[in-house]
Amino acid sequence: MDFLKARSTGLTLVLTVAIALGLSLAPVPESLRPVPSLQRGPLGPKLVALVAPPSLTGKKPVRLPSDTMVADTTGTPTLPPDEEEEPDAGAALVETVPALPPVPTTPGIGLEELSAPTLARALELEALRERMGAQHVDLELNCRKPAADGTCAEDGLAPFIRALAELRADTRRTPVRVVHLGDSLVASDHITDVVRDRLQERFGTGGKGFLFITRPASAGRWTRSGRGSDGWEIARLVDTKWPRDRVGWTGVAFTSGGGSQSTRYDVEGSRVAELFFLAQPASGSVQLSVDGKPVQRIQTRGFSKNKSEAAFARVSLPEGAKTLSLTTSGKVELHGVTLETGAPGVVYDTVGLLGGMAEVYLRAQPAAFRAQLRQRKPSLVVLMVGGNEAFFYSRDRTTLDEVRQQMKELVARVRTNVPDAACLVMSPIDAGVRTMSGEVIARRGSKEVGDIFREEARAAGCAFWDAFTAMGGEGSAQRWLEEGLLMEDLVHPRTKGSDLLGHLFDLSLQRAYAKGRSPLLNVADPPGLQGADVALVKTFARLGRREAGDAVRVGISQLGASHTASHYFSDAVREVLTKRFGDAGRGFIAAGKPSPHLETARVARELDGEWTVEDALEAPAGGLWGLTGIRAVGGPGAKLRIQFCKGCPDAKTPAGRLDLYTLDMPGAGAPDLQVDGEAVPPEAPLPEPLTAPTVRIRSFPVTGLAHTVQVSAPEGSGVTVLGASLEHDTPGIVFDALGLPGATAFTLRDMDAAAVDTQLTSRRPDLLVFWYGTNEAGKADLDAAELRRDYAALISRLRKATNAECLLMGPTDRLQQDANGQWREAPALASVLGTLPQVAKDAGCAYWSPRAAMGGERAMLRWQRTQPALGHPDGIHLTPEGYARLAGAFVRDFLAAYEVHKKGQPTARVEDN
């Protein structure tokens, strides 16, 4: 009977498709066609990833309703071509960064622990949710293990939540895997892509997960498959003649026939691949090659002469591998490949089948279903069907009793095969139909099917998510269509709609995870730029004048430790700001040894002869140092060169100024100086001989972009160089990066005040950026009261000397490993996070938290495990990619606050110091 029922369903589907095609091709009004005309648009430009996350104006692939399939010339069910993004001329320009909606003040909706770019996108989706009347719907956790006293010992999501908590606590060494089975709503990885990205950002990435051999249909995205050759024979569970006794929940069989077929995967960041295949008598082999080099041949011949069964082969990939190729020999049937990093993190498998239903997944061969599911060892299985059930019910081609029985059997199969995994059932979303007059009305069946799914989830101990209510309930399909969130088929969401559904589902998971759980650090650490409306009024006003065309110079001086000294962060910020407001010169470069960190900015340092580079870290308080806490001391005849814009073409313009910072010593001769290879005439002697070391700033007019200053110690005495700077007589930004690795705010406090104030004043900053706190977080004996008092006093002193505004940055997330090798928060991290916002308030500064921008709690652990890695293995520093990512987050928040200022919103003004 089951076979006859399935065959009847398949024949009905074919007839439905034929009628739909006939009406669609007939000369009737567009609104009456079951399959409306589809348009393809040109590819849109890529957005600047570090600064501007994707806008809500993009579109995603066109997807036919899950109850409708189009046949190509071969009769193969297929998807229409991808719906591509429309061009947005200004989307890629940094200058168009919009002001973001404020971070919601209502806690607990799930936006915690998102990095700044992801949070920016989430806030856009939140604004869209409110406009559409969509809702935050909590997961119904239900009970998977009742206690003897009638209470619930364990809810339906508990295994998954435990596994995530183990990742966060760094006690888990294996991935947390999710297997998500669905219909056409996720066939091209829509909805699930948002959920995957968010989970991997919060808990670390374990890899790409399960991928098909090639696209199961002739169109759609390639994101969840390899790129296969054209000759693969493809059979699906949704086909009228599905691959019986062969395929499990993966749903598709890819057969090479008797010839050689191939496929290729991008495996960057992956260290483990696993091939899913059918072991059968007289089967051939598969050659695996990495970056074109053979690494392993897998024989797919089964051990039994009369039996075929699901089989698996695991292969280690070398570090740095970029591509994995599979080439068949003989008749081979493959089901897919999994790719993982080999490290703890989240792996989110998506298998979406066009026309997928509970009944379709029940067609899977039971032993293969069990073997494949157990092989993945999932912590959570998600069942996302119902749209096709609702369609057939609305056409009186199935009954609610049949829908209930099929879902009951599918849930039971999951619970039986992986009893230790959590399970989650989703309701179908709202859908619509058009009347003969063209009016859109709600389609019957979505709520009824959803109610059944809710009851079966509760009975089986699975969690349940009401996507129907989250979307906005009955009639929401019409609203989504009018807003451009839904396809004309009234069934499938477009990009914006898919992203919104993924956003809502993700936040429901995050709320479930956070429920009843205390944070590891109980301290407020809000994202975004705090207090800019008061503290940065003059800076924003100057930027506004510059943007309006005034010849204005805006000076920014960032003082800090290794995050600043590496130049990666400041170079990225400088690039964005100078592109928008103009480039007025490279600014200050400290004296010192050659450094590869300066190469990106085309700056070079050279030391010839006897030099000692000293810093203020271990020196007694009160010493005279350069702005970075560095001084280079050269013996007789030693030479130091600092070259700006190395390799830049010669140019007669612009005019500018090259400044040299030295420490002149009593009794020492004047250094020999050269600018661009020409000797500088000797200076007139000072009116009175020096009686104490004195900071000296010499200024030389220059023209052009590329310049070199050389300092030579005179014979018989030494020379002490602090640094040099280059500025052009052009309007724009000058951004100084003044960092000393290992420094704290106390280091700057203990440097000679007059020497620091003199040099910093010469830099003419409009804005002082202070980035200390990461090293303070590592001090177990940190005195928070002293930090607050002395840091605020230091900032106030420097503001008074320079008449500049200020912005205080907190620490990045800092972790350290305990004796067992597990990562824990640095001993004073909570204290620093609680103190620095108070320092900013006391000193009248804006405040920005890099840790919050990274994603908050244990963000460093996740950044270490991202591919490519964003966090350094030491748990303190970031990689160049990480600093660039963080810089993008900072610039976006900074420019968003500036845009708010430009709009003339009321702000409290601060008086000049």
Side-chain angles (χ1 to χ4, degrees):
M1 291 298 294
D2 289 342
F3 169 78
L4 293 176
K5 183 189 299 182
R7 184 176 182 182
S8 175
T9 300
L11 291 174
T12 301
L13 183 59
V14 171
L15 290 174
T16 302
V17 171
I19 294 171
L21 281 173
L23 287 174
S24 298
L25 296 174
V28 297
E30 183 74 16
S31 61
L32 301 182
R33 296 181 181 179
V35 184
S37 300
L38 302 175
Q39 300 291 332
R40 296 189 69 187
L43 286 172
K46 292 183 179 180
L47 303 180
V48 177
L50 295 179
V51 181
S55 71
L56 291 173
T57 60
K59 295 181 180 179
K60 259 186 183 174
V62 171
R63 296 179 293 280
L64 289 180
S66 51
D67 46 65
T68 311
M69 288 189 293
V70 173
D72 60 19
T73 55
T74 64
T76 304
T78 179
L79 279 171
D82 277 5
E83 173 195 340
E84 296 167 343
E85 294 183 358
E86 296 177 350
D88 181 358
L93 297 179
V94 172
E95 290 85 348
T96 62
V97 174
L100 298 177
V103 178
T105 55
T106 304
I109 66 172
L111 289 175
E112 302 81 10
E113 300 180 357
L114 293 176
S115 72
T118 306
L119 177 60
R121 174 65 171 153
L123 292 176
E124 292 176 343
L125 290 169
E126 272 298 291
L128 178 63
R129 179 194 65 79
E130 292 184 5
R131 189 166 74 249
M132 297 307 303
Q135 301 180 38
H136 290 297
V137 175
D138 284 339
L139 293 174
E140 299 171 24
L141 298 179
N142 298 319
C143 184
R144 61 184 276 114
K145 287 185 180 180
D149 60 1
T151 61
C152 184
E154 184 175 277
D155 65 55
L157 211 60
F160 180 57
I161 299 301
R162 273 199 306 271
L164 293 180
E166 290 167 358
L167 283 180
R168 181 57 55 84
D170 195 33
T171 59
R172 186 183 182 95
R173 293 294 173 261
T174 57
V176 174
R177 299 185 182 92
V178 179
V179 172
H180 188 127
L181 307 181
D183 51 30
S184 59
L185 267 65
V186 296
S188 289
D189 199 34
H190 295 290
I191 301 175
T192 48
D193 53 0
V194 173
V195 182
R196 179 187 300 105
D197 290 347
R198 298 269 189 91
L199 284 173
Q200 290 184 341
E201 181 173 288
R202 290 191 183 97
F203 300 98
T205 177
K208 294 181 178 181
F210 180 83
L211 307 173
F212 286 123
I213 296 301
T214 190
R215 290 189 304 184
S218 60
R221 298 201 297 174
W222 292 90
T223 54
R224 303 303 296 171
S225 72
R227 289 187 174 270
S229 54
D230 293 335
W232 288 100
E233 299 173 7
I234 301 175
R236 295 159 281 243
L237 289 178
V238 295
D239 296 338
T240 303
K241 295 182 179 180
W242 66 85
R244 302 172 187 277
D245 300 327
R246 290 156 55 192
V247 179
W249 57 266
T250 55
V252 186
F254 302 86
T255 306
S256 65
S260 176
Q261 299 298 330
S262 64
T263 190
R264 179 175 56 84
Y265 297 90
D266 173 9
V267 297
E268 285 192 88
S270 302
R271 297 303 306 276
V272 180
E274 189 164 31
L275 180 65
F276 282 42
F277 63 95
L278 183 70
Q280 53 189 329
S283 186
S285 64
V286 182
Q287 177 65 59
L288 275 62
S289 301
V290 174
D291 297 332
K293 299 178 180 179
V295 292
Q296 186 169 333
R297 180 173 292 277
I298 297 172
Q299 299 293 335
T300 67
R301 186 180 303 108
F303 293 106
S304 173
K305 294 183 179 180
N306 302 312
K307 181 180 179 183
S308 298
E309 58 185 354
F312 316 91
R314 190 178 178 89
V315 179
S316 296
L317 303 176
E319 186 174 0
K322 298 187 182 304
T323 61
L324 172 67
S325 299
L326 278 61
T327 304
T328 66
S329 177
K331 185 176 181 180
V332 172
E333 180 178 308
L334 307 181
H335 299 153
V337 168
T338 63
L339 296 174
E340 298 187 355
T341 65
V346 172
V347 180
Y348 202 105
D349 296 344
T350 298
V351 172
L353 302 177
L354 297 173
M357 298 186 291
E359 183 269 331
V360 167
Y361 283 102
L362 289 173
R363 297 176 186 178
Q365 205 274 338
F369 190 103
R370 178 175 61 253
Q372 289 182 346
L373 198 56
R374 289 181 176 178
Q375 187 70 15
R376 293 305 287 146
K377 300 179 177 63
S379 297
L380 171 66
V381 178
V382 180
L383 302 176
M384 184 182 177
V385 292
N388 292 306
E389 285 91 335
F391 168 74
F392 284 118
Y393 171 69
S394 73
R395 300 296 191 272
D396 295 323
R397 295 190 179 111
T398 190
T399 67
L400 294 180
D401 287 341
E402 289 176 323
V403 170
R404 181 185 300 276
Q405 183 60 33
Q406 289 161 2
M407 178 53 74
K408 184 190 295 290
E409 291 180 17
L410 180 58
V411 171
R413 182 174 290 190
V414 170
R415 288 299 316 272
T416 300
N417 289 332
V418 282
D420 294 332
C423 56
L424 189 154
V425 177
M426 297 173 66
S427 77
I429 61 174
D430 187 46
V433 295
R434 292 187 188 274
T435 65
M436 293 299 293
S437 64
E439 180 185 2
V440 176
I441 61 174
R443 188 185 70 186
R444 182 171 67 101
S446 295
K447 185 178 187 306
E448 292 86 345
V449 170
D451 289 342
I452 289 173
F453 283 12
R454 170 185 277 112
E455 293 166 5
E456 292 307 313
R458 183 184 301 118
C462 296
F464 175 79
W465 189 61
D466 190 348
F468 179 83
T469 300
M471 183 179 178
E474 186 171 302
S476 56
Q478 181 176 358
R479 298 194 300 274
W480 281 43
L481 176 68
E482 293 170 351
E483 192 68 20
L485 305 186
L486 200 67
M487 297 291 297
E488 290 292 332
D489 60 28
L490 302 176
V491 174
H492 293 88
R494 293 183 184 269
T495 291
K496 290 189 289 186
S498 294
D499 288 353
L500 180 54
L501 287 171
H503 168 78
L504 294 172
F505 180 46
D506 164 72
L507 295 189
S508 73
L509 288 172
Q510 176 63 6
R511 290 193 299 273
Y513 169 74
K515 195 173 184 179
R517 174 185 166 274
S518 299
L520 296 175
L521 289 183
N522 191 17
V523 61
D525 187 23
L529 187 57
Q530 311 294 319
D533 58 334
V534 173
L536 303 183
V537 173
K538 293 192 297 181
T539 300
F540 287 160
R542 291 185 67 82
L543 291 175
R545 288 177 54 199
R546 170 77 282 275
E547 198 168 28
D550 289 356
V552 174
R553 172 194 182 274
V554 182
I556 302 175
S557 293
Q558 178 179 310
L559 300 102
S562 54
H563 296 325
T564 300
S566 72
H567 290 276
Y568 295 126
F569 178 91
S570 56
D571 281 351
V573 174
R574 181 187 295 106
E575 181 179 1
V576 174
L577 294 182
T578 55
K579 180 178 179 181
R580 178 163 180 173
F581 300 103
D583 187 350
R586 182 59 177 77
F588 186 88
I589 295 294
K593 300 176 181 179
S595 171
H597 293 169
L598 297 172
E599 292 176 358
T600 301
R602 306 176 89 171
V603 173
R605 292 187 302 220
E606 298 178 38
L607 298 177
D608 292 337
E610 182 183 346
W611 285 95
T612 303
V613 179
E614 303 172 343
D615 65 53
L617 275 180
E618 303 298 332
L624 280 71
W625 304 94
L627 284 171
T628 65
I630 293 286
R631 61 191 181 207
V633 181
K639 296 180 181 179
L640 175 147
R641 284 177 294 277
I642 299 178
Q643 185 175 2
F644 293 91
C645 210
K646 182 179 180 181
C648 291
D650 293 336
K652 296 182 179 180
T653 58
R657 187 182 80 249
L658 192 154
D659 292 341
L660 176 67
Y661 292 69
T662 61
L663 189 61
D664 287 0
M665 309 297 289
D672 296 324
L673 306 178
Q674 290 185 6
V675 174
D676 297 335
E678 296 186 4
V680 175
E683 299 176 292
L686 296 173
E688 297 181 5
L690 292 177
T691 60
T694 303
V695 171
R696 181 80 174 275
I697 305 172
R698 297 172 172 87
S699 186
F700 310 102
V702 293
T703 57
L705 300 173
H707 300 286
T708 301
V709 59
Q710 177 176 290
V711 183
S712 301
E715 296 297 332
S717 65
V719 65
T720 300
V721 184
L722 305 178
S725 68
L726 175 66
E727 294 193 26
H728 306 307
D729 293 336
T730 55
I733 301 289
V734 177
F735 194 114
D736 297 325
L738 311 173
L740 176 64
T744 65
F746 300 128
T747 307
L748 183 60
R749 173 201 65 183
D750 291 342
M751 291 162 55
D752 181 85
V756 171
D757 293 358
T758 296
Q759 294 176 79
L760 197 56
T761 300
S762 76
R763 300 302 310 131
R764 298 181 294 151
D766 298 289
L767 175 63
L768 296 173
V769 179
F770 296 89
W771 193 2
Y772 296 102
T774 303
N775 290 318
E776 286 88 336
K779 295 181 177 297
D781 58 350
L782 179 71
D783 186 330
E786 180 188 13
L787 177 63
R788 177 175 178 177
R789 180 188 67 245
D790 288 3
Y791 196 1
L794 169 68
I795 296 171
S796 297
R797 188 197 91 206
L798 296 178
R799 289 194 63 195
K800 183 176 181 180
T802 59
N803 196 31
E805 293 180 318
C806 56
L807 189 159
L808 191 67
M809 294 171 61
T812 53
D813 190 42
R814 176 167 179 173
L815 305 178
Q816 60 187 40
Q817 289 181 297
D818 61 18
N820 297 320
Q822 295 178 3
W823 289 100
R824 298 285 185 264
E825 280 68 22
L829 181 59
S831 180
V832 171
L833 289 170
T835 301
L836 293 194
Q838 295 299 320
V839 171
K841 181 178 179 180
D842 295 345
C845 303
Y847 181 77
W848 189 75
S849 171
R851 177 179 179 268
M854 291 172 65
E857 182 178 283
R858 293 289 171 95
M860 178 59 77
L861 189 60
R862 304 192 294 278
W863 279 43
Q864 288 174 327
R865 294 172 178 172
T866 299
Q867 295 294 331
L870 303 176
H872 195 276
D874 63 10
I876 303 171
H877 301 93
L878 308 182
T879 64
E881 294 84 357
Y883 282 117
R885 175 78 62 87
L886 193 63
F890 171 74
V891 170
R892 183 176 180 89
D893 286 342
F894 182 82
L895 292 181
Y898 166 65
E899 293 292 340
V900 172
H901 171 85
K902 276 205 314 181
K903 289 182 179 179
Q905 296 186 5
T907 56
R909 300 190 65 86
V910 292
E911 299 298 328
D912 292 347
N913 289 327

